[in-house]
Amino acid sequence: MSFSLTTWNINSVRLRMPLVQDFLKAKGPDVLCLQETKCENDSFPMAAFRKAGYEHAAIHGQKGYHGVAILSKLPLSMIDRRDYCNMGDSRHVSAIVEPEKGRRIRVHNFYVPAGGDEPDPEINPKFAHKLKFLDEMRLLHAEAERHAGVSTILVGDLNIAPLETDVWSHKQLLKVVSHTPIETETLLDIQSSGAWVDLMREFIPPSEKIYTWWSYRAKDWKAANRGRRLDHIWSSADLAPALASIEVLGAARGWERPSDHVPVTAAFQLRTAQ
DNA sequence: ATGGTGGACGCTCCA
């Protein structure tokens, strides 16, 4: 039994629906997790997703900013939308998918706050918000459901590039929000204390560079190649042996009117798991 | 050292 899931910060789902449709036609993951949909639930382009074979959805949107969504070929149940930091932001949605009988997986889809420019929580409330948000994410691993036969996948734009090989220049980005020690250490600590597995790094060793985001502000993003790995796919330990592949679709950054993030897809062969 | 681009919204915020 195979199962595949894509995470993609789409930076306006309405504007980029044609790209999404092309992607779904080409890759057809079972589940698609989007971030920065930037539209209210009422204006989410659900009809186009249904037409593409994605009849099931868990949407958590808001006007103009943020917004996350899970689209699925398979039924979704136990949909949950959480207000991290109690600010009314739409930055989380989760749901259970059951790729085969008895194999339940809760998918958590996150859009972590970017954190502003100044990496000091004392003077920059956006950075303080980011750190507080991470602290709340830390609690996920303790949830009863995870110990009651439900596996977990956590994806999204986490807005942190934790490893030296997750950025174009470790040295030059040490004081740049997304790669500061407080952020990278916190993220890696959440990962290890929660027994999460970084599936992208299971498949692509830490010795190799991986980028999932390239700034719009570069003159020539491809030539400069100053990317960062801001998008992630984690799982509970029980799912890791079932990982079959990870694909980072870098070509998507070169599509017409692209998102600044590219889609990342994990494929599983569930029979090989415990 | 600075400003560069892109999206939503509505004359500015956020990334």
Side-chain angles (χ1 to χ4, degrees), chain A residues 42-63:
Chain A
D42 287 349
S43 47
F44 194 86
M46 202 52 226
F49 279 105
R50 281 200 198 94
K51 209 171 167 186
Y54 295 77
E55 294 184 21
H56 309 279
I59 302 168
H60 189 190
Q62 72 183 79
K63 189 174 182 176

Side-chain angles (χ1 to χ4, degrees), chain A residues 43 46 51 73 76 96 112 130 145 160 163 180 184 192 221 228 261:
Chain A
S43 47
M46 202 52 226
K51 209 171 167 186
K73 292 178 175 176
L76 298 173
I96 290 181
V112 172
K130 185 176 196 174
E145 190 181 67
I160 298 174
L163 306 182
T180 64
T184 59
S192 59
W221 71 274
R228 305 177 202 170
H261 296 252

Side-chain angles (χ1 to χ4, degrees), chain A residues 8 31 40 142 155 160 175 216 258:
Chain A
W8 194 5
V31 172
E40 290 172 299
V155 305
I160 298 174
K175 290 180 178 171
Y216 284 127

Side-chain angles (χ1 to χ4, degrees), chain A residues 107-271:
Chain A
V107 176
H108 284 280
N109 180 15
F110 279 100
Y111 175 50
V112 172
D117 287 332
E118 189 58 54
D120 180 351
E122 301 293 326
I123 61 171
N124 174 9
K126 289 180 188 173
F127 196 71
H129 177 208
K130 185 176 196 174
L131 297 179
K132 185 162 179 277
F133 195 102
L134 292 171
D135 265 345
E136 289 186 30
M137 283 179 71
R138 183 188 297 278
L139 304 174
L140 270 181
H141 80 278
E143 294 189 0
E145 190 181 67
R146 186 166 171 181
H147 305 284
V150 181
S151 305
T152 318
I153 295 177
L154 185 163
V155 305
D157 177 3
L158 305 187
N159 265 314
I160 298 174
L163 306 182
E164 294 191 12
T165 48
D166 291 337
V167 291
W168 64 275
S169 168
H170 169 62
K171 202 177 160 192
Q172 285 178 260
L173 289 175
L174 272 170
K175 290 180 178 171
V176 174
V177 170
S178 75
H179 194 63
T180 64
I182 180 69
E183 293 169 90
T184 59
E185 286 164 17
T186 300
L187 195 70
L188 292 173
D189 186 58
I190 290 169
Q191 217 176 71
S192 59
S193 67
W196 294 103
V197 180
D198 178 348
L199 294 183
M200 293 176 70
R201 284 312 190 178
E202 284 290 295
F203 194 74
I204 305 165
S207 55
E208 282 181 42
K209 297 239 182 209
I210 309 177
Y211 309 142
T212 65
W213 171 89
W214 291 261
S215 172
Y216 284 127
R217 297 177 190 179
K219 274 201 184 87
D220 184 339
W221 71 274
K222 200 169 192 174
N225 197 25
R226 295 186 168 187
R228 305 177 202 170
R229 181 171 73 116
L230 302 179
D231 302 276
H232 298 268
I233 303 181
W234 296 358
S235 79
S236 50
D238 60 309
L239 273 180
L243 180 69
S245 68
I246 290 285
E247 183 183 25
V248 180
L249 193 62
R253 185 63 178 79
W255 292 350
E256 194 158 334
R257 293 202 86 184
S259 168
D260 44 356
H261 296 252
V262 298
V264 183
T265 302
F268 299 88
Q269 277 297 334
L270 292 177
R271 283 192 202 290

